[in-house]
Each structure stands twice: as structure tokens, then as C-alpha cells.
Amino acid sequence: MHDDRTLVEARLRRVLDERIRPAVHPESVPLRVAVWHAPGEPVPVAEGLAAQPEPIEVGARWGAPWGTSWFRVTGTVPKAWAGRTVEALLDLGFDENMPGFQCEGLVHRPDGTPVKGLNPRNQWVRIGAPVAGGEEVVLHIEAASNPVILDYHPFRPTPLGDKDTAGHEPQYTLTRMDLAVFDESVWQLVMDLEVLDELMAELPVDSARRYDILRAVEQALDAVDLQDVNGTAGRARQRLTGVLSAPAVPSAHRISAVGHAHIDSAWLWPLRETVRKVARTASNMTALIEDEPEFVFAMSQAQQWAWVKEHRPEVWARVKKAVAEGRFVPAGGMWVESDTNMPGSEAMARQFVHGKRFFLDEFGVDNEEAWLPDTFGFAAGLPQIIKAAGSKWLLTQKISWSQTNKFPHHTFWWEGIDGTRIFTHFPPVDTYNCSMKGSELAHAERNFKDKGRARHSLAPTGWGDGGGGTTREMVAKAARLRDLEGSPAVAWETPRAFFEKAEAEYPEPPVWVGELYLELHRATLTSQARTKQGNRRSEHLLREAELWAATATVRTEFPYPYEELDRIWKTVLLHQFHDILPGSSIAWVHREARATYERLAAELEGIIDAAQRALAGAGDRELVFNAAPHSRAGVLAGGAGARRFPHGTSVAPRAVGGFVLGNGLLRVEIDARGLIVSARDIQADRETVAPGRAAGLLQLHQDFPNMWDAWDVDAFYRNTVTDLTDADSVQAGEDGLSVRVTRSFGDSRVTQVLSLPPGERRLVIDTEVDWHETEKFLKLAFPLDLHAERYASETQFGHVFRPTHTNTSWEAAKFEACNHRFVHFEEPGWGVAVVNDSTYGHDVTRTVRTDGDRGTTTTVRVSLLRAPRFPDPETDQGLHRFRHALIPGASLADAVREGWRINLPERRLTGAHEVAPLVTVDHDAVVITAVKFADDGSGDVVVRFHEAHGGRARATLTAGFEVAEVTATDLLERPSGDKEPPTRDGDRITVRLRPFELVTLRLRPA
């Protein structure tokens, strides 16, 4: 037989495009349209409905950037349409290729009831099925004219990312506002043909199944009268019955489709717009649930649910009904889909505490899965946190974006730093915006790495990023793919149902140990420095506020600020979302974030000050409050007392230019360029700085990645570097403890103050940068005279070791990595730590010297600033302040201690008496991360701690109050069944901890 395959396939596509799809709505009449443009920010629904609109015609331009326009559409259903299905087709000027990334709308009835959302892939509103004819139609559309930031020419700088710079030029053209007849039979024929066309394209060209489909399609096209598609669509569908009813082979891959709308809590739109995106999407999904009995939709991020509850109670009522039916599923158990690299230990824990508690309080749902499809890599401490929150599964898709190495599993155990394992799934469909295309499902089956051992994978199905969700077309395709020869078998299921099946069929999957590093988006550890500093400062202020408020409430009449702390925590957690904290959102988002962090800092400072004054009482005795988890200068951790003042520091001129700092523990030489050429540990008689090198060196790189400007730094940035060695001035500081260095470069200026505190083995480097560079990367380098094949980098509730070499592509790909408060390098018996108060990104390299010594040295470089131009063209322009410290002779314990010290500086206050700690611990490796009152208002004191050195510990906690009962709990402060009960002798509690083990105790005061 002659091969006419390509002829039939081309015929199918033209007939679909030009005849069958247009026949879905065969008759239409125009609606009358009027519009009112809200003058500023979005207005309440009642105000939008009551406004007096002006007539507007289809074809008119509308919508200034970030504006809101209320359209009123009115019309009458023709009597001739009686008995037929009628829809309103409302095209605001959509580009179908940009769902979630441009204008959107929410349709209301005149009484304010939300109907459904409008977006580029969802432009219809059902009027009646069937209609009687003659009905009056009145709809109100709250339309958001969000500008397109990520356009067909992506990553180009644009002023549209902030309403202050976006201008007022209309963005969109009103395209269609009609009433139309909806022909169900033709629409179903479109779905039949699309599914078969997409399936054919994935089958082998020489397969019998492909030709069976081809011949059936040919017969269906022959049955269509192109001048009467509506009258012959049913006849054409009959020709396809056979090929659509052929069952899948028994070995077919099984796909759990989960309705989904990944909604970034902020990204190319501000937080306030996400509130509306969630309402639009939730309206669509509840409507789809009512129409489609098998469809299941999952929505993560408790914050987004809370927004619906607060701002759109009518939508919330529909959501609650669907949740009760088990069809609209709370997923993930986190406050937001946060970054997981940079949030601190407590903050990462509180993501689950606040997220899970919201779903428990509102719906009685206790999530067992963490749902993070789009997060930029996963810290090695996360498995323990997930388990401590009462969860056991993790889903993400993002690791499939890695550029260098392909991850070897799709379903596996992920083992964290403490040995905790979490059952983890990476959907092989490789998208969290699956649309049920045949190419997507075939890719999932081919790509699935666990074939032969497992058969199930998950497909998050629906338009996302900017929301939108699942469409009726996706549901229709899934119905045809439920059991279809040649395709994976598709079923709508909840995340829980998928994980239960996957775990049951694959009880012994492979194990991946350590961090899940994303080999992409490495610059998110540095971009938008002020946002990152705001986060770090907020985390530590919250620690202080809880500690001092709890201590004051137990000891005095101080009222514990439950509501204030709860609200502030949720705000901080929101800003840890994976496009806010990583610095990859538009200018508007980061401008608001800076203002929010300032406001929260002022509020937390007020709580801390009030609590400390209540504790200290009225008096003129100088007290030092120490919120760090280790004693310092004679003041106990969590207490207040008189500071012990050690011997002083000397600053002397250096014979060949520069200065020498000394305090009996360290001797630091700063040359005439203002660079550290020696940092000698006097007791160990050991030099810190690599021979012939200089530390505290600022280095400037060209930084223009191939794409994803705010997200990425590509390895070639290292090819060119400028050492900033020229100094405007190098002077002794007026305090007698420091040296002050100023430099100018490009359009920027930097001031560094290098100081040696009395009695302490640490060199503090305060760096102030007035930054006005473009597409540059600023690093702070410390070449160390250390041979180290690995180094420790702090992460949540412990640290992770990373190699310093690049033996394999996996190690080479980690050329930029994350740390929290410290990195630590060590030869047996002697080490060096670099600690910071607000930076995360860093790189580490090894050098073998070629001189007579031929020793190996190790260089760590802290990432300070970048200057990408997309999506915020003014990223990080302006003044920045950073604090780092170099700790020669540091053990790992010293690194932990100094990391806390630099982030929790002591506070001075005058009062009447010293303050004893509320809780103490007698083991240096056991670090208390939180002392607070229980969230339930019971008055119980909650203490969270972990083993921080990577070894075993037997420690005694002593409460500074009479304890009636001690309970080991999970993160939600519920009794923990898998923790050995602690032993108690009065107010002394003995615990045994495994390496990096996290423990939460609940102490009931007598």
C-alpha cells in the first residue's frame, strides 16, 4: 500500500484549525460593553459593581500597567437559541501562549457572586444549558491589566516591573465580547481528534497502532461535511469509537493526574495581585469540580488559602464545600512554597508549623506530603524537618532543570544529614504545568527511570506560575486517556493517593544522601541583597522576641505577644517564597519587601525592649543581654549580666606600609593596599593567609548569564576578574581597634573597617558598598593556608560537607553554593571559619603552589553583590552593609558559636538585677534554636534544640522555673510517638541526641 500518512496528518490539522474548531461556537451575537477604570489600587467588589462605566467598543485599547478595569457586559439571548447551550466568549486581548503572564479577569454576577476566572486559555462563561431564549445577561468583569514582563524576547530590561515606573500606556486591545451557541458534539470531536493526533505523533512510525488510528481519523474526516460540521460531527465521532476504546496494555505506565495551578506568591507580579490570581483560579477550579465528577484539584501554600478566606469570602465558601467533598485538596503543609536553601533552621520549621496548622484548624487535614515543585534546590537538613512536622513524602520537579547532570532517580528515599529518610518523587513529565498533551505523557513514560521496579508517576495538571489551573479540555483529554492503547493510563487522584500507591509498589527504592543541589539558578543566593538581609535579621529578631518575651512572661507580669508574633512569623515566612527571598521578582516586590522588613524590625525591637525592661527592672546597673545559644564574655546564653572586659587591642604602623593589629591571640598585618597579608594564630604559631596572597580582597567579575539574569551565574564568569587592590585611603580607626580602608571602582565606592575585638580570636570585616555597577559580580576572597579536601557549610539544624575539588561533573557543577552563618575548613588539629551576618552564596577552590613549598591552599570567596537587569533593572543599586569575620584556629564548635555571635550581637540595658536564663544546657554541641510559649496559649514553654557538631551528645537541660511535666513533641507541639521520653529529675531534663538530631520539648510549669 502506498504510504499516505503525512497527507492524512496534514489534512487533519488543517480541517481541525479551519473548520472543526470554529464550529464549536457556530452562532454568536455581540454583547454591549462598558468600562470603569479604577483610579489607583484595586477596589472592593462592591465599589467596582457600583461604579458608573462608560461605553467601550471591541477593538479599543484599555488597561494601563497594573491597572484594574471593571467591564460590564450586557445582552439578550436570542429566542431562536431556545434549547441550546449558550456561553459568553470574553476575550480581553489575550495571547493564548501566555496563561498567567498577562491580563486576567474575574467574572461576577450583579449581586457580587464570583462566577469564574478569565485567562488566555479560559475565555468562556456558561450562560445556560439549555437556555429558554430571551434571557437578559449581565456580567461584571474585574479585569487586571498586568503587563507582560517575560515576553517573547525574554530577559530584556523593562520598567514595567514597578507601577512607579511602568507608565500609563494601555496594554491590551479588547478583542471579543459575544454571546455564542456552544456545540457540545463538535467540542467532543475536537477532543477526540486532538488526543488521537497527539498519540499518533508519539507512536513508532511503523507501528500497527499508529496506522489503526490514522485510518480511523481518515474515516472521521470523510464523515465530516465541511459545510455542515455541526450536523455531521456526531457521525464523525462514531468512526473513532473503536480506536478510542482500545484498552492500554497491562504494562502501561500509570499517571496520577493532580489538578494544579502553580501560583507564585509573588514573581512577575506583586503580592497584592497574587491575592486576586488565587481567587480567580479557585473560582475556576470550584466551577470545574461542579462540572466534572472525577476531577480532583490540589492547592498548596496555606498563605494563599488564607488570602481567599480574608479577601474573597464568597469564593472561600465554594472552596470549603469542595474540600469537604474531598475534591479540592490542601497540599504541601507549608505556609508558602519557600526557598529551602536560605531560610534558617527555625524558619524552615515554622513553614510547616504554620502551614500544617492552618489546614488542621480550617479543615482537619494533616498533610503528609511536602509539595515544592518549583523550588531551586533542597538543603540537606530538610528531610528531618519534614518528618518532625509529621509528614513523610516530598514532591518536586525542579531538579529536572539541572544543566550538567541528570538526576538518576524519579522515585527514591532522600536521606538528610541526620539519617532521616523521606519518600521522594520527581514527576518524570518534567513540568508542573502539564496540559495532558500526548507528548507530555509519552515523555513521562519514556523518561521514568524506575521502570521495571515501579509503574506510577504523578503529573501536576493545569496552567501555572501565574495561575489559571486545569481546563475542561485537560479533563476531557484525561477521560480519553484513562485506558487507551499506546498511552500511559491516566487517573485523577489526590497527592496522598498517589504516594500511597507509589510507596506500596516500591518499598525499597534507591537512596540519595545529602542536598538536592539544583545545577542552575545559583545566583539566587546573592541577588537582591537587601531582601536577604531583611530575612536574616527578621529570623534572629524573632528568636530574640520569643526568648525574652517567654522569659519575661514566666518571671514577671509581662503579657506574651501571641498574636503579634504569629502575624510577624507569617509575614516573614511569606517573604521566603521561592521568588522573593531568592531575589528573582520584579522591582515592586523587592521595594515592598524592604519596607516590610523595616516595619517588622521596628515592631520586634519594641517587643524585645519591653520584655528586657520588664526583666531588668528599674535601676542604673549596666546589663548585657545575650540571646545567642552560647555564653560569651561571662554572660550566660539566654540571660543578662555584667560583661567581662578582656585585655585590649593594639594598632601599630607596619614598617613597610599599612598597620598591624594585635590582641595577644591574633596578629593581623594589613598592607598599604588595605589587604590582609597575614593573620597569625599566636597560640598555635600558625599563619592563616596563603603565602603570597591577600585576604579581605574584593574581586569584580563580568556577570552576564546566557539567560535568567537574576537567577543564574554561569561558570564562565570566572574567566575574567579584576582585583580591587587600589585604595583611596588606609587609616587607623578612631576607636583604636581597627583599620579603615576606602576604595573606588567604576561608579561605586567601598569602605572596609577591619577590627580585632579585645580578647577574641576573630578579625571582623565590616564592608559598606555604595554599589552602582551593571552586570557585575562582587566577591570577597579569603585565600587560606589550609589543605582541605572538604569543608563544612551550615544548613538547617546542622551542616553539610562539600568537596573542595572537582573530580566529577557533580562536584564541578557546585561552583556556587549556599551556607548560613558559617563555612569551616580544617586540617587535623587546626581550622579556619568565615562567618557572616547576612550573605549566603560562596565558592571554594583549591590551589597547589608551584614554589618550593608546593603546599595546597584553599580559597573561599563570599558573594556580596550582583547587578542583573531582569526582572528588576535597578537590582541592588545603592548602599549596602555586610559583616564577616575570619576566625583563625577555629574548631567546628567555634564556627557554630561565632556564627551565632555575629548574628545576635549583645544588647546593653540599665536595670536593677541580672537575669537568669529560662533554660540552660550543659553541652556545647547542643544548640537551642527556640525558647517560646506554646502556640495553643496554654502557658507551656517550648524548647527546640539540636546536636550541632555532627556527633552524639548526652546533655542536661535545666529549666529556670519549676516544671510539672515534660513532653517530647513534633514541630506542631503535639506528643511525638517516635521520640524516647526524656528523663527528668526535678527541673533537670536529660536527653541523648544522635548526630544533628532535632528535639522539641514542651515544659509545663508547675
Side-chain angles (χ1 to χ4, degrees), residues 270-291:
L271 288 167
R272 66 89 155 145
E273 192 55 35
T274 314
V275 175
R276 302 200 295 177
K277 283 178 173 287
V278 174
R280 291 189 284 259
T281 299
S283 296
N284 265 353
M285 296 303 95
T286 51
L288 192 60
I289 283 169
E290 292 171 1
D291 294 340

Side-chain angles (χ1 to χ4, degrees), residues 149-223:
I149 307 293
L150 193 67
D151 212 334
Y152 288 99
H153 302 286
F155 317 122
R156 290 188 177 177
T158 173
L160 293 173
D162 196 329
K163 64 177 181 177
D164 290 346
T165 58
H168 304 284
E169 187 70 22
Q171 301 285 292
Y172 298 103
T173 300
L174 199 62
T175 302
R176 185 176 187 182
M177 293 276 154
D178 289 346
L179 284 178
V181 171
F182 174 75
D183 191 319
E184 174 81 18
S185 181
V186 176
W187 184 81
Q188 295 288 359
L189 177 60
V190 171
M191 295 298 100
D192 292 343
L193 292 172
E194 283 189 2
V195 165
L196 292 171
D197 183 30
E198 292 167 5
L199 177 57
M200 273 196 299
E202 300 303 322
L203 294 171
V205 171
D206 58 356
S207 70
R209 173 62 170 163
R210 182 161 182 162
Y211 278 88
D212 286 345
I213 295 172
L214 187 79
R215 294 304 158 214
V217 166
E218 184 178 39
Q219 293 173 24
L221 295 176
D222 290 343

